[in-house]
Amino acid sequence: MNPDGSPLSIPPGPATSVILGRIERELRDMWSAQLAPGEAPRSRACTMNLVVAASSRDVADRYTAVVDEVTASIPSRAIIVALEPDAPTRALEGSASAVCVPGESGVVCSERVGLYASGSVCARVVSTVEALLVAEIPTTLVWLGRVHTDDDVFTSLASSAQRVVLDTEYTSLASLVQLAKWSREEEGRPALADLAWTRLATWQELCARFFDEGRTREHARAITRVTVRQASDSGARLGSETALLLGWLATRLGWRATRMGGALRLKREDGRDVVLSVGAVAKPEGVAPGALASVEIEATTGGTSMVGTIVRDLASGADVEGKTPDADVVNWSLDLTGQPRQSRRVRLRANKGARVLERTLHRPAHDAALVESVRFAENFFEDGVVIR
Amino acid sequence: MDATNPLRRGLVEDRTGDPCAVIIFGASGDLTKRKLMPGLYNLALSRALPGGFAVVGVARRQQSDEIFRQAMREGVGKFSRRKILDEAVWSDFERGVSYVSGTFEDPKTYTDLAKHLDALEQERGIGKNRLFYLAVSPNDFGTITRHLKEANLVKPPSRDTTEWTRVVFEKPFGHDLASARALNDTIASVFDESQVFRIDHYLGKETVQNLLVFRFANSLFEPVWNREHVDHVQITVAEEIGVEGRGKFYEQTGVTRDIVENHLMQLLCLTAMEPPISLAADSVRDEKVKVLRSLRAMDRSKVPENVIRGQYGRGFVRGDDVPAYREEPDVAPDSRIETYVAMRVFVDNWRWGGVPFYVRAGKRMARRVTEVAIQFKKVPHGLFRAPDGGIRPNVLAMRIQPDEGIALRFISKEPGQQTILRDVAMDFRYGTAFGSNTPEAYERLLLDAMRGEATLFTRRDEVEAQWEYIDHVFDAWANEASTPPPAYASGSWGPEQADDLLAHDGRRWRRP
């Protein structure tokens, strides 16, 4: 910051190293300053570099609150970069600050660096970020926008990270598909993560539950129909969550995608068809477009049929303290021929931006199931499945 | 479960228990209210309970399902790490909670229970998997297990079915080696060992589990984790609290039975054991048993020089006046029960030959702390002049509670023209790095029992080996003159004799 509290900035032209030097000095001074009388001692903690790249200053500003919440539980050096390459001006601004929360024994602080680049300066940002990374700890890049793997800024930032995080629910599945292709082209490229995939985790677990018992286990290989509903208008495209869930089911169960007369069909390992039905339900306010609303799995084997159903009370999370509209209650039930119905009501995890990013960062970096599911989901993407 | 359900392959979401009924004997007791129900409720919040699930409380007290549920709700509200903010989850959980009243000696209790479980199967689709949790006095273990068998509530494990019956026993598991063996024999007449889950809740603590991760997932420490580099090991389990109204219980147990025989021995095993060939339950437990069998047995004459006991007197803890142990309710005014014990233990094997493990546990100590500290040997040659008499050795301290974490003490140069050496510490804290809302030990252990994962439970031979070692100490104490244990002031670090134990070896206790 400048003495008057405004961010450091340089007019178009001068080297970015001037800004970088100031930020580095600010970061140093932050921890060497004398405590004011009565001020609690602060500990700096850093377990990862969290680089967030936004497509505009506005998006970066809005996401700063999410980052601050995440670093409260995962102490990090957060570097939030706003990139506006098409802006008419050519400028770089930067600032550094400590983000502190009370810890178990004193105040624990993360560091937050903000960078705003416009015009051709955007190309220089990568080297600025590189210089600001703390050594010997993992780096995660959160990319808030569509991915273009031919964009040098993206590939350079991604190459310095061990993991790239997207949110395909708000960008597109195409970005994830592109990123997955880019990632597997060369060894050593970062792992990929998707907040939509993280949100899906509870759904996956609930689906797996249908086949946990000895008496239903064989039904997993005998699924005849899958019905999925997503919260969206009729005619909308297949949502990321829906596509990834279907990709996940297919890859776990060894299904193949085939095309008969251009239409996508799913075949089980034994060659039989799985009927796929995807539909829409009305999207209440506050629920993300394309969010999963229900899943129904039907299977028949050995003379017994099972129907497993997961139905979400859309927007029911809004009534609960500390939850968000998408941390809904879901009703899980299992009906098996000749058996009493099993049912449970469980709540989806809070999917507020910070919580879902935090959970994503806690997951293992390499997730083979995501990679495989994305590959399969390409079928839906290529097929342009439309919801009716 | 994971091996055969294809949808479980590579799943990252929380683990889930098998569909089952959890039947808690001693359901009106404190443990159920303080630990078990909050643990189960937190599992429900974490979506870790299976689709078919029920909890059945069994106790003497006559009460309806409604009253029992209400009592459990109060317990969860008071003791759960996460409160009941979410009525949707609580009401779903509560629907599966019911109660059967009866005495443990009465066969009718078990026939009633069997009928109740059959009805639940029809109503809730819980299948025939049953987890019996004996949150009762050890005196009731034998009675309950026998009646369970007689009521046909125990199914032996079989390859022909995935249905299971398991039983969880709370500590103390026996009073000495003979009683532990007798108890094990009774249990073995009803259950196969694979069905038995003996809880030591210390093993459910994240930081205790991390001992294995720390040792065997880092290549840095294991090469120096042996007699070549380690001078000695100190393990401390210190509590600030006294007997807290449990004078009657404590008069029959003492700190050696309450803490040393189980928690402390387990910490010692995890610190000293060899790498297991896998994390499978028996692989880990085999290695722990090897440690226990390597402990140098103390004959009667050696106990006084290797084991120090103490009993807390009056003093100040956190600035408050506290009474002496003998002034506590239900404690005999001439009680000889030990509230503190310190021991010098040797693990006579290739890795640890000659390295003393100093272990201590006590009540009314200066502060609450549980830690394992590895003190490394001094550098072989004093290259630097250290004005205070020498360079202090490196210490690696693994803090189990509170402020869970790992600290490495090493020597650094003070900035300046002179070479002045100073102790510094690299300090890692779990709460800072990972947040502090970690599952309670009981959550982890209940879920493991529902999934049949026995790694964090103690096996029969483990329990008996623990008692076998500790019995030598009791044997010596039983034959000592009737002198009371030395008193130590509450709020101190134990009796002076404990300091002498280490001073004799040229060492000192840490002040953790």
Side-chain angles (χ1 to χ4, degrees):
Chain A
M1 297 278 180
N2 284 316
D4 64 359
S6 61
L8 297 166
S9 64
I10 51 171
T16 53
S17 58
V18 176
I19 285 286
L20 178 61
R22 285 181 193 163
I23 292 172
E24 285 173 331
R25 199 162 50 246
E26 277 192 2
L27 287 167
R28 265 197 315 272
D29 292 350
M30 217 181 281
W31 306 110
S32 56
Q34 294 280 335
L35 286 179
E39 191 182 353
R42 300 182 304 172
S43 310
R44 176 174 52 161
C46 189
T47 59
M48 73 161 64
N49 295 299
L50 183 61
V51 180
V52 177
S55 54
S56 70
R57 185 189 289 234
D58 184 42
V59 172
D61 287 347
R62 276 190 279 126
Y63 209 72
T64 298
V66 172
V67 171
D68 287 352
E69 215 176 311
V70 168
T71 57
S73 63
I74 306 176
S76 311
R77 175 171 285 184
I79 304 171
I80 303 173
V81 191
L83 296 161
E84 293 184 358
D86 299 329
T89 56
R90 181 178 169 275
L92 179 67
E93 293 175 14
S95 63
S97 50
V99 180
C100 302
V101 289
E104 285 177 346
S105 45
V107 174
V108 180
C109 301
S110 286
E111 296 164 323
R112 189 217 304 142
V113 175
L115 291 171
Y116 166 67
S118 60
S120 61
V121 175
C122 288
R124 299 195 214 168
V125 158
V126 176
S127 67
T128 313
V129 170
E130 183 84 33
L132 287 167
L133 297 178
V134 179
E136 303 297 341
I137 55 172
T139 298
T140 294
L141 170 65
V142 180
W143 189 263
L144 301 174
R146 284 175 183 263
V147 167
H148 299 283
T149 50
D150 53 354
D151 171 2
D152 287 343
V153 173
F154 170 78
T155 53
S156 303
L157 280 176
S159 298
S160 63
Q162 280 75 52
R163 175 162 44 179
V164 178
V165 180
L166 308 179
D167 188 352
T168 57
E169 202 60 60
Y170 292 94
T171 54
S172 73
L173 191 61
S175 285
L176 188 59
V177 169
Q178 242 195 80
L179 177 61
K181 276 183 183 159
W182 177 78
S183 179
R184 62 180 178 250
E185 272 169 11
E186 204 173 293
E187 203 166 323
R189 284 194 170 157
L192 56 145
D194 178 13
L195 301 187
W197 176 254
T198 304
R199 282 190 283 266
L200 209 54
T202 305
W203 290 86
Q204 293 168 332
E205 203 285 322
L206 291 171
C207 287
R209 253 179 222 204
F210 294 136
F211 308 103
D212 274 343
E213 287 187 65
R215 57 193 174 184
T216 58
R217 215 161 274 167
E218 286 183 8
H219 288 77
R221 301 283 181 198
I223 291 174
T224 52
R225 175 184 281 272
V226 176
T227 307
V228 183
R229 298 272 177 273
Q230 65 178 47
S232 56
D233 300 326
S234 182
R237 294 183 63 114
L238 197 67
S240 287
E241 287 183 17
T242 308
L244 288 171
L245 182 83
L246 292 171
W248 172 75
L249 275 173
T251 52
R252 300 306 91 182
L253 297 170
W255 295 348
R256 287 174 297 114
T258 61
R259 282 191 169 70
M260 186 74 77
L264 181 72
R265 285 167 191 269
L266 298 176
K267 292 252 183 228
R268 292 191 329 219
E269 275 177 323
D270 61 7
R272 299 195 178 188
D273 285 337
V274 178
V275 178
L276 176 63
S277 165
V278 183
V281 298
K283 183 185 88 60
E285 198 180 335
V287 171
L292 267 180
S294 71
V295 177
E296 186 173 282
I297 297 177
E298 297 170 45
T300 303
T301 186
T304 60
S305 297
M306 64 144 277
V307 181
T309 313
I310 308 165
V311 182
R312 173 179 188 165
D313 289 347
L314 284 163
S316 56
D319 305 329
V320 182
E321 189 186 335
K323 303 290 181 191
T324 51
D326 46 3
D328 292 333
V329 166
V330 296
N331 297 286
W332 177 97
S333 64
L334 174 63
D335 290 291
L336 185 66
T337 311
Q339 298 292 329
R341 163 178 271 216
Q342 289 183 29
S343 65
R344 287 215 76 80
R345 277 165 70 78
V346 298
R347 188 171 293 285
L348 297 174
R349 288 173 179 270
N351 280 331
K352 213 170 128 185
R355 293 284 83 84
V356 76
L357 177 56
E358 194 181 306
R359 287 209 307 278
T360 304
L361 296 175
H362 279 304
R363 290 165 72 98
H366 292 275
D367 188 342
L370 170 61
V371 176
E372 290 163 16
S373 303
V374 171
R375 280 183 108 148
F376 196 94
E378 283 178 35
N379 287 302
F380 304 119
F381 175 62
E382 286 166 8
D383 205 60
V385 174
V386 169
I387 309 303
R388 307 206 183 277
Chain B
M1 189 162 74
D2 297 0
T4 47
N5 179 349
L7 294 188
R8 290 273 169 206
R9 184 165 54 91
L11 207 59
V12 178
E13 183 66 332
D14 297 328
R15 305 172 317 147
T16 316
D18 287 351
C20 64
V22 176
I23 302 109
I24 303 173
F25 284 87
S28 53
D30 246 17
L31 184 75
T32 306
K33 199 163 55 182
R34 285 172 178 266
K35 297 290 182 189
L36 302 184
M37 279 298 178
L40 290 168
Y41 171 66
N42 277 298
L43 289 176
L45 276 180
S46 311
R47 297 159 295 277
L49 292 184
F53 182 74
V55 186
V56 183
V58 184
R60 292 176 176 86
R61 186 180 300 166
Q62 291 284 338
Q63 59 183 337
S64 65
D65 287 350
E66 276 316 305
I67 304 269
F68 179 63
R69 286 176 187 152
Q70 188 53 37
M72 293 305 109
R73 186 187 173 108
E74 282 163 19
V76 170
K78 201 166 168 190
F79 301 111
S80 170
R81 70 185 169 94
R82 293 182 290 191
K83 305 301 174 199
I84 304 174
L85 294 172
D86 198 338
E87 284 296 338
V89 175
W90 173 259
S91 61
D92 184 66
F93 174 72
E94 192 185 52
R95 274 194 303 129
V97 176
S98 57
Y99 185 80
V100 172
S101 65
T103 63
F104 302 147
E105 299 79 19
D106 185 356
K108 183 173 177 298
T109 306
Y110 302 87
T111 49
D112 288 351
L113 176 62
K115 279 183 208 157
H116 186 76
L117 289 170
D118 285 343
L120 281 178
E121 264 174 49
Q122 293 307 309
E123 287 165 23
R124 297 190 56 81
I126 54 171
K128 294 211 178 285
N129 295 334
R130 285 153 189 186
L131 178 68
F132 295 105
Y133 198 112
L134 273 56
V136 296
S137 154
N139 299 331
D140 293 320
F141 285 175
T143 311
I144 295 172
T145 48
R146 272 191 299 271
H147 280 298
L148 287 175
K149 188 182 182 185
E150 283 161 18
N152 206 21
L153 283 164
V154 180
K155 289 227 168 73
S158 162
R159 286 186 179 179
D160 302 332
T161 175
T162 55
E163 290 169 1
W164 50 257
T165 307
R166 295 177 192 137
V167 62
V168 181
F169 292 97
E170 267 294 329
K171 84 174 181 77
F173 199 84
H175 192 72
D176 53 18
L177 177 60
S179 60
R181 277 189 179 146
L183 196 51
N184 276 329
D185 287 344
T186 305
I187 290 164
S189 68
V190 176
F191 293 98
D192 182 80
E193 179 63 23
S194 66
Q195 298 175 289
V196 180
F197 291 72
R198 298 174 192 82
I199 269 201
D200 182 334
H201 74 266
Y202 252 56
L203 294 178
K205 289 180 184 287
E206 289 280 341
T207 38
V208 173
Q209 292 163 44
N210 194 52
L211 273 170
L212 289 183
V213 176
F214 182 78
R215 285 191 57 197
F216 303 128
N218 294 294
S219 59
L220 184 60
F221 300 105
E222 199 52 24
V224 294
W225 208 266
N226 55 48
R227 65 187 305 277
E228 298 299 324
H229 300 277
V230 174
D231 179 75
H232 72 276
V233 177
Q234 292 189 21
I235 304 179
T236 301
V237 180
E239 296 177 281
E240 286 172 351
I241 56 170
V243 293
E244 305 293 297
R246 294 164 72 223
K248 201 171 163 187
F249 164 78
Y250 220 74
E251 280 287 273
Q252 292 170 358
T253 48
V255 75
T256 313
R257 287 188 173 93
D258 192 33
I259 302 288
V260 178
E261 182 274 329
N262 37 69
H263 304 328
L264 213 148
M265 282 288 162
Q266 287 292 326
L267 289 179
L268 189 150
C269 287
L270 293 171
T271 306
M273 67 189 258
E274 295 298 317
I277 56 167
S278 76
L279 288 177
D282 280 336
S283 300
V284 174
R285 299 193 293 186
D286 285 348
E287 296 306 331
K288 287 197 288 175
V289 169
K290 282 186 205 166
V291 173
L292 292 166
R293 290 189 179 144
S294 306
L295 296 181
R296 187 185 298 172
M298 279 181 274
D299 64 35
R300 219 177 265 174
S301 65
K302 296 283 184 195
V303 168
E305 61 192 67
N306 286 296
V307 183
I308 304 297
R309 357 171 224 175
Q311 191 184 76
Y312 64 80
R314 291 183 186 180
F316 302 96
V317 174
R318 300 175 79 89
D320 290 337
D321 272 318
V322 293
Y325 175 70
R326 293 177 177 194
E327 296 167 335
E328 299 274 14
D330 300 322
V331 170
D334 59 349
S335 172
R336 292 178 60 207
I337 282 294
E338 81 290 356
T339 61
Y340 173 94
V341 71
M343 300 168 72
R344 183 197 289 118
V345 178
F346 286 95
V347 182
D348 283 338
N349 64 15
W350 200 266
R351 182 189 286 258
W352 295 114
V355 177
F357 283 67
Y358 299 104
V359 303
R360 60 179 165 171
K363 286 197 168 289
R364 288 277 192 240
M365 306 283 280
R367 58 190 297 196
R368 171 179 168 253
V369 60
T370 300
E371 67 156 34
V372 176
I374 313 290
Q375 181 152 326
F376 292 93
K377 289 186 173 172
K378 289 183 177 178
V379 290
H381 171 62
L383 190 60
F384 301 98
R385 280 193 306 160
D388 60 352
I391 295 171
R392 295 221 291 165
N394 299 134
V395 174
L396 179 71
M398 288 167 287
R399 182 76 73 96
I400 311 296
Q401 63 183 16
D403 298 333
E404 296 87 342
I406 293 166
L408 178 63
R409 190 179 75 194
F410 62 102
I411 306 291
S412 178
K413 178 185 173 299
E414 289 252 21
Q417 300 298 334
Q418 291 177 302
T419 303
I420 298 173
L421 309 185
R422 204 181 133 193
D423 283 347
V424 291
M426 284 199 290
D427 201 353
F428 162 77
R429 298 203 178 196
Y430 279 91
T432 304
F434 300 122
S436 53
N437 200 17
T438 50
E440 293 243 354
Y442 274 91
E443 288 172 47
R444 169 68 194 251
L445 295 172
L446 281 163
L447 186 55
D448 279 4
M450 279 187 241
R451 293 170 56 86
E453 293 172 3
T455 307
L456 301 180
F457 296 83
T458 40
R459 203 170 56 189
R460 174 179 183 150
D461 52 353
E462 217 174 333
V463 170
E464 291 180 8
Q466 286 172 184
W467 277 121
E468 194 170 350
Y469 183 75
I470 294 297
D471 257 13
H472 292 293
V473 176
F474 289 132
D475 176 56
W477 287 350
N479 287 282
E480 259 182 14
S482 60
T483 49
Y488 60 95
S490 286
S492 71
W493 282 103
E496 284 174 11
Q497 290 86 337
D499 294 336
D500 297 341
L501 180 76
L502 270 72
H504 180 267
D505 299 344
R507 299 180 176 110
R508 295 170 62 184
W509 286 111
R510 286 167 47 77
R511 291 284 181 268

